[in-house]
Structures are given as C-alpha cells and as structure tokens.
Amino acid sequence: MNKINQLFRTAQQRKLLSLYFCAGCPTLGGTADVIKTLQRRGIDMIEVGIPFSDPLADGPVIQSAGTVALKNGMTLSLLFQQLRSIKDEVRIPLVLMGYLNVIMHYGFERFCQSCVESGVSGAIIPDLPFNDYLQVVKPIADRYDLRIIMMITPETSEERIRLIDQHTDGFIYMVSSASITGAQSNFNEAKQEYFRRINDMNLNNPRMIGFGISNKQTLESAQRNAAGAIIGSKFVSLLNETGDPEQAIDALYEALSR
C-alpha cells in the first residue's frame, strides 16, 4: 500500500503533522540528515521542496531557500540520488513539492520512476492544471502508484473541489488562504468559515491544512478542521537560522506550544 494511504488509515485517532523543507538548503548535502532527524522526532510526513527559480506560490522565506539551494547546486537528479541513499531507512511518507517546468523538463514518466526508486510516495505540483492532471499526468502516476496531491483554496468552487475529491487519492492539500506561503499569527473568521464549509462537504479524501501555520493557535485550528497540519515557512526559517535540523525541530516544537 502507498505510504500516504497507510498513514491516514492507521492514524485516524490522532492529528498529523507534516513539515516542508527545500532540498539543498541550507546545505547541498543536508537532505538526508533533515529527513532522518524529522522522522526520529515524530513528524508524520515530509514534503521535500524541489528548488525552482520562479516559485509563484511561495513567499519570501521559501523563495529565498530555493535561491540558496540552486546556488548550492541542487538539481532534481541530485535530489533523487540523495533520497535513494536513505530509501531503506525512511518509514514515513515523502512527498516532493515542485513546479511543472522542472518536472516536465526531467520527463514525467522518468520522474515517476525515479520517485518509486527513491521511496517517494507522492508529489504536489502547484501549477499543474487539473485537466492536464486528468488527461496526461494521472494515468502515468497511477501506473507507478504515485499520489498526485491537488490543492484547494477558499476561492476553489464546490464543483472543482468535488472533482478533485473524485479523481485523486491520498489527501487534499487545503491551502488556508488564497495567498503565498508564510507564517500567520492566527486564522481569522473568514478562514474559519472556509474550514467549516469544507468540513460540511463530507469529502472522501482526508485533508491537510497548510500555509500560515506557525504557532499554537494556527496549529490547533488546522488540526481541529482537518486530519492534520502542514508547516513550511516557519520550519524553513528555523532551519536556516540554526543550520541544524535537531535544533530547528526543537525550536519549532517550542513555537507551537505558545
């Protein structure tokens, strides 16, 4: 069974926490250490960012991380090489998050094959049009048992959300707001209403809420309204500040308790 499906099947009585970091930042060779540290410290799922020069959905923190990673020499081929080296040690789901240009340049079927060889369970491609996903991407990904995770926002129509729910597997990435990534101090009433509206749709797929989660209030709000939370910018900032994944996860857990 795909590790993403297995995670949600076995964790129904607890709330999940997924972290994002950008491969190649702060150091080119640090990918394996970050993943193994987060797994050891109880993180349920990890999103590994593929650096790209024009990341439209990302805020300043993750944009900067991508720039550093590219300057360090990170490439998709090198990332797969690093992931293959720890494949047998990683028990939790790994999800690659990257933009269509990089993945298509690599070749989508080759990308899927490399994911399988590297222990990757899914991919998030923020700029992948849904029709292209249905007609071109999904048939190939299904052959490799790779989950393509689609995003929804407060502006996504109910019709589109139900189409995504019908034609995807794994989980739905529920973006907290129709803006770029970045930490927020709280989720206002408009966001809470969005969460309630999606809850009332009784979707088949579990949902993870991401974008803006950085403290106890936003974490608990996300976990009340979904299967769990995804944290990106806050952890990336801490990883850049400390240069050490152990110290960064300590600091993150401290921030999430306040």
Side-chain angles (χ1 to χ4, degrees), residues 110-156:
R110 181 186 174 209
F111 174 81
C112 292
Q113 183 174 355
S114 294
C115 284
V116 172
E117 294 170 350
S118 306
V120 172
S121 300
I124 301 167
I125 310 173
D127 56 343
L128 173 63
F130 188 65
N131 287 339
D132 289 352
Y133 160 73
L134 286 178
Q135 296 171 16
V136 179
V137 168
K138 185 179 187 301
I140 301 172
D142 286 351
R143 289 205 303 271
Y144 289 89
D145 196 33
L146 187 71
R147 302 291 177 262
I148 304 299
I149 307 304
M150 303 300 290
M151 292 175 152
I152 64 172
T153 76
E155 277 68 44
T156 307

mmCIF file of all heavy atoms in Angstrom, residues 110-156:
data_model
loop_
_atom_site.group_PDB
_atom_site.id
_atom_site.type_symbol
_atom_site.label_atom_id
_atom_site.label_comp_id
_atom_site.label_asym_id
_atom_site.label_seq_id
_atom_site.Cartn_x
_atom_site.Cartn_y
_atom_site.Cartn_z
ATOM 1 N N ARG A 110 9.737 9.472 -16.343
ATOM 2 C CA ARG A 110 11.024 9.273 -15.669
ATOM 3 C C ARG A 110 10.944 9.769 -14.229
ATOM 4 O O ARG A 110 11.520 9.162 -13.311
ATOM 5 C CB ARG A 110 12.106 10.019 -16.440
ATOM 6 C CG ARG A 110 13.503 9.888 -15.859
ATOM 7 C CD ARG A 110 14.468 10.792 -16.612
ATOM 8 N NE ARG A 110 15.792 10.822 -16.007
ATOM 9 C CZ ARG A 110 16.627 11.845 -16.070
ATOM 10 N NH1 ARG A 110 16.275 12.943 -16.763
ATOM 11 N NH2 ARG A 110 17.805 11.799 -15.491
ATOM 12 N N PHE A 111 10.240 10.882 -14.022
ATOM 13 C CA PHE A 111 10.037 11.418 -12.672
ATOM 14 C C PHE A 111 9.332 10.391 -11.794
ATOM 15 O O PHE A 111 9.759 10.123 -10.656
ATOM 16 C CB PHE A 111 9.223 12.711 -12.752
ATOM 17 C CG PHE A 111 8.813 13.291 -11.422
ATOM 18 C CD1 PHE A 111 9.701 14.048 -10.681
ATOM 19 C CD2 PHE A 111 7.526 13.091 -10.932
ATOM 20 C CE1 PHE A 111 9.319 14.598 -9.454
ATOM 21 C CE2 PHE A 111 7.137 13.634 -9.715
ATOM 22 C CZ PHE A 111 8.037 14.389 -8.975
ATOM 23 N N CYS A 112 8.258 9.801 -12.297
ATOM 24 C CA CYS A 112 7.521 8.801 -11.518
ATOM 25 C C CYS A 112 8.387 7.599 -11.195
ATOM 26 O O CYS A 112 8.381 7.088 -10.067
ATOM 27 C CB CYS A 112 6.272 8.357 -12.285
ATOM 28 S SG CYS A 112 5.005 9.633 -12.462
ATOM 29 N N GLN A 113 9.135 7.146 -12.178
ATOM 30 C CA GLN A 113 10.009 6.001 -11.966
ATOM 31 C C GLN A 113 11.068 6.322 -10.911
ATOM 32 O O GLN A 113 11.366 5.498 -10.030
ATOM 33 C CB GLN A 113 10.669 5.588 -13.275
ATOM 34 C CG GLN A 113 11.541 4.340 -13.161
ATOM 35 C CD GLN A 113 12.069 3.886 -14.516
ATOM 36 O OE1 GLN A 113 11.714 4.459 -15.556
ATOM 37 N NE2 GLN A 113 12.891 2.864 -14.523
ATOM 38 N N SER A 114 11.646 7.510 -10.991
ATOM 39 C CA SER A 114 12.656 7.917 -10.013
ATOM 40 C C SER A 114 12.054 8.037 -8.618
ATOM 41 O O SER A 114 12.718 7.724 -7.618
ATOM 42 C CB SER A 114 13.286 9.254 -10.429
ATOM 43 O OG SER A 114 14.017 9.126 -11.630
ATOM 44 N N CYS A 115 10.796 8.491 -8.529
ATOM 45 C CA CYS A 115 10.122 8.555 -7.234
ATOM 46 C C CYS A 115 10.028 7.171 -6.603
ATOM 47 O O CYS A 115 10.342 6.977 -5.426
ATOM 48 C CB CYS A 115 8.726 9.160 -7.393
ATOM 49 S SG CYS A 115 8.688 10.953 -7.607
ATOM 50 N N VAL A 116 9.601 6.190 -7.393
ATOM 51 C CA VAL A 116 9.480 4.825 -6.888
ATOM 52 C C VAL A 116 10.843 4.308 -6.430
ATOM 53 O O VAL A 116 10.980 3.718 -5.352
ATOM 54 C CB VAL A 116 8.884 3.906 -7.973
ATOM 55 C CG1 VAL A 116 8.943 2.447 -7.528
ATOM 56 C CG2 VAL A 116 7.448 4.299 -8.271
ATOM 57 N N GLU A 117 11.862 4.540 -7.229
ATOM 58 C CA GLU A 117 13.210 4.066 -6.905
ATOM 59 C C GLU A 117 13.789 4.764 -5.679
ATOM 60 O O GLU A 117 14.713 4.238 -5.040
ATOM 61 C CB GLU A 117 14.129 4.287 -8.100
ATOM 62 C CG GLU A 117 13.775 3.435 -9.316
ATOM 63 C CD GLU A 117 14.545 3.840 -10.561
ATOM 64 O OE1 GLU A 117 15.212 4.904 -10.515
ATOM 65 O OE2 GLU A 117 14.484 3.112 -11.566
ATOM 66 N N SER A 118 13.237 5.935 -5.335
ATOM 67 C CA SER A 118 13.782 6.741 -4.239
ATOM 68 C C SER A 118 12.910 6.702 -2.985
ATOM 69 O O SER A 118 13.213 7.392 -2.008
ATOM 70 C CB SER A 118 13.940 8.202 -4.689
ATOM 71 O OG SER A 118 14.698 8.278 -5.874
ATOM 72 N N GLY A 119 11.821 5.945 -3.024
ATOM 73 C CA GLY A 119 10.956 5.849 -1.860
ATOM 74 C C GLY A 119 10.002 7.015 -1.683
ATOM 75 O O GLY A 119 9.507 7.255 -0.576
ATOM 76 N N VAL A 120 9.724 7.734 -2.746
ATOM 77 C CA VAL A 120 8.794 8.869 -2.695
ATOM 78 C C VAL A 120 7.380 8.369 -2.955
ATOM 79 O O VAL A 120 7.149 7.603 -3.890
ATOM 80 C CB VAL A 120 9.184 9.946 -3.726
ATOM 81 C CG1 VAL A 120 8.123 11.035 -3.817
ATOM 82 C CG2 VAL A 120 10.547 10.542 -3.382
ATOM 83 N N SER A 121 6.424 8.822 -2.146
ATOM 84 C CA SER A 121 5.050 8.326 -2.235
ATOM 85 C C SER A 121 4.102 9.238 -2.995
ATOM 86 O O SER A 121 3.015 8.808 -3.394
ATOM 87 C CB SER A 121 4.485 8.104 -0.827
ATOM 88 O OG SER A 121 5.250 7.153 -0.119
ATOM 89 N N GLY A 122 4.463 10.498 -3.154
ATOM 90 C CA GLY A 122 3.554 11.426 -3.814
ATOM 91 C C GLY A 122 4.252 12.690 -4.262
ATOM 92 O O GLY A 122 5.432 12.907 -3.978
ATOM 93 N N ALA A 123 3.495 13.522 -4.964
ATOM 94 C CA ALA A 123 4.034 14.791 -5.457
ATOM 95 C C ALA A 123 2.946 15.855 -5.429
ATOM 96 O O ALA A 123 1.775 15.567 -5.677
ATOM 97 C CB ALA A 123 4.583 14.642 -6.868
ATOM 98 N N ILE A 124 3.352 17.068 -5.122
ATOM 99 C CA ILE A 124 2.493 18.247 -5.183
ATOM 100 C C ILE A 124 3.073 19.158 -6.258
ATOM 101 O O ILE A 124 4.242 19.536 -6.183
ATOM 102 C CB ILE A 124 2.435 18.974 -3.831
ATOM 103 C CG1 ILE A 124 1.912 18.044 -2.737
ATOM 104 C CG2 ILE A 124 1.563 20.222 -3.931
ATOM 105 C CD1 ILE A 124 2.115 18.591 -1.335
ATOM 106 N N ILE A 125 2.250 19.485 -7.251
ATOM 107 C CA ILE A 125 2.697 20.334 -8.367
ATOM 108 C C ILE A 125 1.729 21.518 -8.429
ATOM 109 O O ILE A 125 0.671 21.438 -9.061
ATOM 110 C CB ILE A 125 2.698 19.547 -9.691
ATOM 111 C CG1 ILE A 125 3.436 18.201 -9.518
ATOM 112 C CG2 ILE A 125 3.333 20.365 -10.803
ATOM 113 C CD1 ILE A 125 3.335 17.273 -10.721
ATOM 114 N N PRO A 126 2.026 22.621 -7.735
ATOM 115 C CA PRO A 126 1.053 23.706 -7.575
ATOM 116 C C PRO A 126 0.522 24.292 -8.874
ATOM 117 O O PRO A 126 -0.633 24.747 -8.919
ATOM 118 C CB PRO A 126 1.827 24.758 -6.774
ATOM 119 C CG PRO A 126 2.892 24.000 -6.066
ATOM 120 C CD PRO A 126 3.273 22.896 -6.989
ATOM 121 N N ASP A 127 1.331 24.316 -9.935
ATOM 122 C CA ASP A 127 0.891 24.937 -11.183
ATOM 123 C C ASP A 127 0.433 23.916 -12.222
ATOM 124 O O ASP A 127 0.338 24.235 -13.408
ATOM 125 C CB ASP A 127 1.987 25.819 -11.767
ATOM 126 C CG ASP A 127 3.303 25.079 -11.999
ATOM 127 O OD1 ASP A 127 3.496 23.981 -11.437
ATOM 128 O OD2 ASP A 127 4.159 25.599 -12.739
ATOM 129 N N LEU A 128 0.097 22.703 -11.792
ATOM 130 C CA LEU A 128 -0.419 21.679 -12.707
ATOM 131 C C LEU A 128 -1.909 21.912 -12.951
ATOM 132 O O LEU A 128 -2.715 21.794 -12.022
ATOM 133 C CB LEU A 128 -0.204 20.286 -12.113
ATOM 134 C CG LEU A 128 -0.834 19.112 -12.863
ATOM 135 C CD1 LEU A 128 -0.232 18.957 -14.268
ATOM 136 C CD2 LEU A 128 -0.674 17.816 -12.062
ATOM 137 N N PRO A 129 -2.330 22.244 -14.183
ATOM 138 C CA PRO A 129 -3.767 22.409 -14.463
ATOM 139 C C PRO A 129 -4.505 21.090 -14.238
ATOM 140 O O PRO A 129 -3.995 20.016 -14.581
ATOM 141 C CB PRO A 129 -3.794 22.824 -15.942
ATOM 142 C CG PRO A 129 -2.427 23.368 -16.217
ATOM 143 C CD PRO A 129 -1.498 22.567 -15.360
ATOM 144 N N PHE A 130 -5.712 21.188 -13.703
ATOM 145 C CA PHE A 130 -6.438 19.975 -13.343
ATOM 146 C C PHE A 130 -6.765 19.122 -14.565
ATOM 147 O O PHE A 130 -6.696 17.891 -14.506
ATOM 148 C CB PHE A 130 -7.724 20.329 -12.585
ATOM 149 C CG PHE A 130 -8.427 19.132 -12.018
ATOM 150 C CD1 PHE A 130 -7.830 18.368 -11.024
ATOM 151 C CD2 PHE A 130 -9.679 18.748 -12.479
ATOM 152 C CE1 PHE A 130 -8.466 17.253 -10.493
ATOM 153 C CE2 PHE A 130 -10.322 17.640 -11.959
ATOM 154 C CZ PHE A 130 -9.716 16.889 -10.965
ATOM 155 N N ASN A 131 -7.110 19.755 -15.688
ATOM 156 C CA ASN A 131 -7.407 18.981 -16.894
ATOM 157 C C ASN A 131 -6.170 18.230 -17.395
ATOM 158 O O ASN A 131 -6.271 17.083 -17.856
ATOM 159 C CB ASN A 131 -7.963 19.887 -17.996
ATOM 160 C CG ASN A 131 -9.382 20.338 -17.721
ATOM 161 O OD1 ASN A 131 -10.103 19.701 -16.940
ATOM 162 N ND2 ASN A 131 -9.800 21.425 -18.333
ATOM 163 N N ASP A 132 -5.005 18.858 -17.305
ATOM 164 C CA ASP A 132 -3.767 18.178 -17.688
ATOM 165 C C ASP A 132 -3.487 17.017 -16.734
ATOM 166 O O ASP A 132 -2.981 15.964 -17.149
ATOM 167 C CB ASP A 132 -2.595 19.151 -17.669
ATOM 168 C CG ASP A 132 -2.666 20.164 -18.804
ATOM 169 O OD1 ASP A 132 -3.540 20.021 -19.679
ATOM 170 O OD2 ASP A 132 -1.858 21.109 -18.808
ATOM 171 N N TYR A 133 -3.796 17.236 -15.463
ATOM 172 C CA TYR A 133 -3.648 16.145 -14.495
ATOM 173 C C TYR A 133 -4.502 14.948 -14.903
ATOM 174 O O TYR A 133 -4.021 13.809 -14.955
ATOM 175 C CB TYR A 133 -4.051 16.622 -13.100
ATOM 176 C CG TYR A 133 -4.385 15.503 -12.140
ATOM 177 C CD1 TYR A 133 -3.380 14.697 -11.599
ATOM 178 C CD2 TYR A 133 -5.713 15.219 -11.805
ATOM 179 C CE1 TYR A 133 -3.695 13.647 -10.738
ATOM 180 C CE2 TYR A 133 -6.032 14.190 -10.944
ATOM 181 C CZ TYR A 133 -5.022 13.406 -10.421
ATOM 182 O OH TYR A 133 -5.338 12.368 -9.574
ATOM 183 N N LEU A 134 -5.771 15.204 -15.223
ATOM 184 C CA LEU A 134 -6.679 14.105 -15.571
ATOM 185 C C LEU A 134 -6.262 13.385 -16.844
ATOM 186 O O LEU A 134 -6.257 12.146 -16.901
ATOM 187 C CB LEU A 134 -8.109 14.642 -15.732
ATOM 188 C CG LEU A 134 -8.871 15.014 -14.474
ATOM 189 C CD1 LEU A 134 -10.245 15.576 -14.839
ATOM 190 C CD2 LEU A 134 -9.035 13.812 -13.546
ATOM 191 N N GLN A 135 -5.894 14.156 -17.850
ATOM 192 C CA GLN A 135 -5.676 13.564 -19.175
ATOM 193 C C GLN A 135 -4.263 13.011 -19.375
ATOM 194 O O GLN A 135 -4.087 12.003 -20.077
ATOM 195 C CB GLN A 135 -5.965 14.619 -20.254
ATOM 196 C CG GLN A 135 -7.420 15.071 -20.276
ATOM 197 C CD GLN A 135 -7.655 16.268 -21.185
ATOM 198 O OE1 GLN A 135 -6.815 16.588 -22.028
ATOM 199 N NE2 GLN A 135 -8.775 16.954 -21.017
ATOM 200 N N VAL A 136 -3.279 13.638 -18.759
ATOM 201 C CA VAL A 136 -1.896 13.270 -19.049
ATOM 202 C C VAL A 136 -1.171 12.681 -17.829
ATOM 203 O O VAL A 136 -0.540 11.629 -17.908
ATOM 204 C CB VAL A 136 -1.101 14.499 -19.557
ATOM 205 C CG1 VAL A 136 0.352 14.124 -19.831
ATOM 206 C CG2 VAL A 136 -1.764 15.088 -20.803
ATOM 207 N N VAL A 137 -1.281 13.368 -16.706
ATOM 208 C CA VAL A 137 -0.453 13.029 -15.545
ATOM 209 C C VAL A 137 -0.989 11.835 -14.769
ATOM 210 O O VAL A 137 -0.242 10.912 -14.420
ATOM 211 C CB VAL A 137 -0.318 14.267 -14.633
ATOM 212 C CG1 VAL A 137 0.285 13.899 -13.291
ATOM 213 C CG2 VAL A 137 0.526 15.334 -15.330
ATOM 214 N N LYS A 138 -2.276 11.834 -14.475
ATOM 215 C CA LYS A 138 -2.855 10.789 -13.626
ATOM 216 C C LYS A 138 -2.646 9.375 -14.177
ATOM 217 O O LYS A 138 -2.256 8.471 -13.415
ATOM 218 C CB LYS A 138 -4.342 11.052 -13.400
ATOM 219 C CG LYS A 138 -5.005 10.068 -12.434
ATOM 220 C CD LYS A 138 -6.482 10.409 -12.238
ATOM 221 C CE LYS A 138 -7.129 9.552 -11.156
ATOM 222 N NZ LYS A 138 -7.051 8.108 -11.451
ATOM 223 N N PRO A 139 -2.886 9.127 -15.484
ATOM 224 C CA PRO A 139 -2.690 7.757 -15.978
ATOM 225 C C PRO A 139 -1.270 7.236 -15.766
ATOM 226 O O PRO A 139 -1.081 6.055 -15.442
ATOM 227 C CB PRO A 139 -3.023 7.875 -17.471
ATOM 228 C CG PRO A 139 -3.940 9.060 -17.568
ATOM 229 C CD PRO A 139 -3.424 10.017 -16.535
ATOM 230 N N ILE A 140 -0.286 8.118 -15.925
ATOM 231 C CA ILE A 140 1.105 7.694 -15.719
ATOM 232 C C ILE A 140 1.379 7.495 -14.235
ATOM 233 O O ILE A 140 1.961 6.483 -13.820
ATOM 234 C CB ILE A 140 2.078 8.723 -16.316
ATOM 235 C CG1 ILE A 140 1.828 8.884 -17.818
ATOM 236 C CG2 ILE A 140 3.529 8.312 -16.050
ATOM 237 C CD1 ILE A 140 2.622 10.011 -18.447
ATOM 238 N N ALA A 141 0.983 8.460 -13.412
ATOM 239 C CA ALA A 141 1.227 8.357 -11.973
ATOM 240 C C ALA A 141 0.573 7.108 -11.385
ATOM 241 O O ALA A 141 1.156 6.437 -10.515
ATOM 242 C CB ALA A 141 0.713 9.612 -11.267
ATOM 243 N N ASP A 142 -0.627 6.785 -11.847
ATOM 244 C CA ASP A 142 -1.331 5.604 -11.330
ATOM 245 C C ASP A 142 -0.555 4.322 -11.607
ATOM 246 O O ASP A 142 -0.565 3.392 -10.791
ATOM 247 C CB ASP A 142 -2.733 5.513 -11.934
ATOM 248 C CG ASP A 142 -3.705 6.528 -11.352
ATOM 249 O OD1 ASP A 142 -3.341 7.184 -10.354
ATOM 250 O OD2 ASP A 142 -4.818 6.668 -11.896
ATOM 251 N N ARG A 143 0.107 4.264 -12.753
ATOM 252 C CA ARG A 143 0.892 3.070 -13.081
ATOM 253 C C ARG A 143 2.031 2.853 -12.093
ATOM 254 O O ARG A 143 2.461 1.719 -11.863
ATOM 255 C CB ARG A 143 1.455 3.168 -14.504
ATOM 256 C CG ARG A 143 0.425 3.029 -15.598
ATOM 257 C CD ARG A 143 1.059 2.532 -16.893
ATOM 258 N NE ARG A 143 2.139 3.386 -17.373
ATOM 259 C CZ ARG A 143 1.968 4.424 -18.191
ATOM 260 N NH1 ARG A 143 0.753 4.748 -18.599
ATOM 261 N NH2 ARG A 143 3.007 5.139 -18.595
ATOM 262 N N TYR A 144 2.513 3.938 -11.521
ATOM 263 C CA TYR A 144 3.632 3.853 -10.578
ATOM 264 C C TYR A 144 3.167 3.947 -9.118
ATOM 265 O O TYR A 144 4.003 4.034 -8.217
ATOM 266 C CB TYR A 144 4.642 4.960 -10.878
ATOM 267 C CG TYR A 144 5.405 4.730 -12.163
ATOM 268 C CD1 TYR A 144 4.917 5.208 -13.383
ATOM 269 C CD2 TYR A 144 6.603 4.026 -12.173
ATOM 270 C CE1 TYR A 144 5.614 4.994 -14.572
ATOM 271 C CE2 TYR A 144 7.304 3.811 -13.357
ATOM 272 C CZ TYR A 144 6.802 4.296 -14.545
ATOM 273 O OH TYR A 144 7.491 4.076 -15.717
ATOM 274 N N ASP A 145 1.861 3.938 -8.893
ATOM 275 C CA ASP A 145 1.286 4.037 -7.547
ATOM 276 C C ASP A 145 1.771 5.304 -6.839
ATOM 277 O O ASP A 145 2.029 5.307 -5.636
ATOM 278 C CB ASP A 145 1.631 2.795 -6.715
ATOM 279 C CG ASP A 145 0.748 2.653 -5.474
ATOM 280 O OD1 ASP A 145 -0.427 3.059 -5.546
ATOM 281 O OD2 ASP A 145 1.241 2.134 -4.442
ATOM 282 N N LEU A 146 1.892 6.380 -7.598
ATOM 283 C CA LEU A 146 2.335 7.666 -7.070
ATOM 284 C C LEU A 146 1.126 8.578 -6.898
ATOM 285 O O LEU A 146 0.334 8.749 -7.822
ATOM 286 C CB LEU A 146 3.338 8.310 -8.028
ATOM 287 C CG LEU A 146 4.033 9.589 -7.553
ATOM 288 C CD1 LEU A 146 5.034 9.275 -6.450
ATOM 289 C CD2 LEU A 146 4.737 10.295 -8.727
ATOM 290 N N ARG A 147 0.982 9.170 -5.729
ATOM 291 C CA ARG A 147 -0.151 10.048 -5.457
ATOM 292 C C ARG A 147 0.185 11.485 -5.873
ATOM 293 O O ARG A 147 1.175 12.047 -5.404
ATOM 294 C CB ARG A 147 -0.515 10.019 -3.969
ATOM 295 C CG ARG A 147 -0.847 8.631 -3.441
ATOM 296 C CD ARG A 147 -2.150 8.121 -4.022
ATOM 297 N NE ARG A 147 -2.425 6.768 -3.567
ATOM 298 C CZ ARG A 147 -2.161 5.664 -4.268
ATOM 299 N NH1 ARG A 147 -1.615 5.761 -5.474
ATOM 300 N NH2 ARG A 147 -2.445 4.473 -3.779
ATOM 301 N N ILE A 148 -0.657 12.046 -6.728
ATOM 302 C CA ILE A 148 -0.521 13.460 -7.090
ATOM 303 C C ILE A 148 -1.522 14.231 -6.237
ATOM 304 O O ILE A 148 -2.732 14.047 -6.352
ATOM 305 C CB ILE A 148 -0.785 13.700 -8.585
ATOM 306 C CG1 ILE A 148 0.146 12.821 -9.433
ATOM 307 C CG2 ILE A 148 -0.601 15.173 -8.923
ATOM 308 C CD1 ILE A 148 1.629 13.084 -9.225
ATOM 309 N N ILE A 149 -1.000 15.065 -5.363
ATOM 310 C CA ILE A 149 -1.823 15.776 -4.385
ATOM 311 C C ILE A 149 -2.240 17.124 -4.969
ATOM 312 O O ILE A 149 -1.393 17.922 -5.387
ATOM 313 C CB ILE A 149 -1.042 15.984 -3.074
ATOM 314 C CG1 ILE A 149 -0.473 14.653 -2.554
ATOM 315 C CG2 ILE A 149 -1.930 16.659 -2.032
ATOM 316 C CD1 ILE A 149 -1.489 13.559 -2.349
ATOM 317 N N MET A 150 -3.540 17.366 -4.983
ATOM 318 C CA MET A 150 -4.062 18.620 -5.514
ATOM 319 C C MET A 150 -4.389 19.587 -4.378
ATOM 320 O O MET A 150 -4.773 19.182 -3.274
ATOM 321 C CB MET A 150 -5.317 18.362 -6.349
ATOM 322 C CG MET A 150 -5.122 17.392 -7.500
ATOM 323 S SD MET A 150 -3.890 17.920 -8.725
ATOM 324 C CE MET A 150 -4.750 19.294 -9.500
ATOM 325 N N MET A 151 -4.282 20.876 -4.688
ATOM 326 C CA MET A 151 -4.556 21.926 -3.708
ATOM 327 C C MET A 151 -5.926 22.549 -3.940
ATOM 328 O O MET A 151 -6.383 22.662 -5.077
ATOM 329 C CB MET A 151 -3.498 23.026 -3.812
ATOM 330 C CG MET A 151 -2.103 22.604 -3.377
ATOM 331 S SD MET A 151 -0.918 23.942 -3.676
ATOM 332 C CE MET A 151 0.296 23.584 -2.396
ATOM 333 N N ILE A 152 -6.553 22.963 -2.834
ATOM 334 C CA ILE A 152 -7.758 23.783 -2.912
ATOM 335 C C ILE A 152 -7.538 25.030 -2.057
ATOM 336 O O ILE A 152 -6.737 25.020 -1.126
ATOM 337 C CB ILE A 152 -9.027 23.030 -2.454
ATOM 338 C CG1 ILE A 152 -8.936 22.643 -0.972
ATOM 339 C CG2 ILE A 152 -9.260 21.798 -3.316
ATOM 340 C CD1 ILE A 152 -10.241 22.071 -0.415
ATOM 341 N N THR A 153 -8.248 26.104 -2.404
ATOM 342 C CA THR A 153 -8.153 27.368 -1.677
ATOM 343 C C THR A 153 -9.563 27.853 -1.357
ATOM 344 O O THR A 153 -10.553 27.268 -1.818
ATOM 345 C CB THR A 153 -7.431 28.436 -2.527
ATOM 346 O OG1 THR A 153 -8.337 28.918 -3.542
ATOM 347 C CG2 THR A 153 -6.175 27.877 -3.180
ATOM 348 N N PRO A 154 -9.692 28.949 -0.594
ATOM 349 C CA PRO A 154 -11.034 29.480 -0.328
ATOM 350 C C PRO A 154 -11.785 29.867 -1.599
ATOM 351 O O PRO A 154 -13.017 29.941 -1.591
ATOM 352 C CB PRO A 154 -10.754 30.712 0.540
ATOM 353 C CG PRO A 154 -9.469 30.410 1.215
ATOM 354 C CD PRO A 154 -8.664 29.647 0.214
ATOM 355 N N GLU A 155 -11.074 30.112 -2.692
ATOM 356 C CA GLU A 155 -11.722 30.509 -3.940
ATOM 357 C C GLU A 155 -12.075 29.324 -4.837
ATOM 358 O O GLU A 155 -12.724 29.502 -5.869
ATOM 359 C CB GLU A 155 -10.804 31.473 -4.712
ATOM 360 C CG GLU A 155 -10.894 32.919 -4.250
ATOM 361 C CD GLU A 155 -10.346 33.097 -2.859
ATOM 362 O OE1 GLU A 155 -9.275 32.532 -2.569
ATOM 363 O OE2 GLU A 155 -11.000 33.766 -2.046
ATOM 364 N N THR A 156 -11.661 28.127 -4.487
ATOM 365 C CA THR A 156 -11.960 26.954 -5.314
ATOM 366 C C THR A 156 -13.446 26.633 -5.209
ATOM 367 O O THR A 156 -13.991 26.541 -4.104
ATOM 368 C CB THR A 156 -11.139 25.732 -4.867
ATOM 369 O OG1 THR A 156 -9.756 26.076 -4.826
ATOM 370 C CG2 THR A 156 -11.326 24.571 -5.835
#
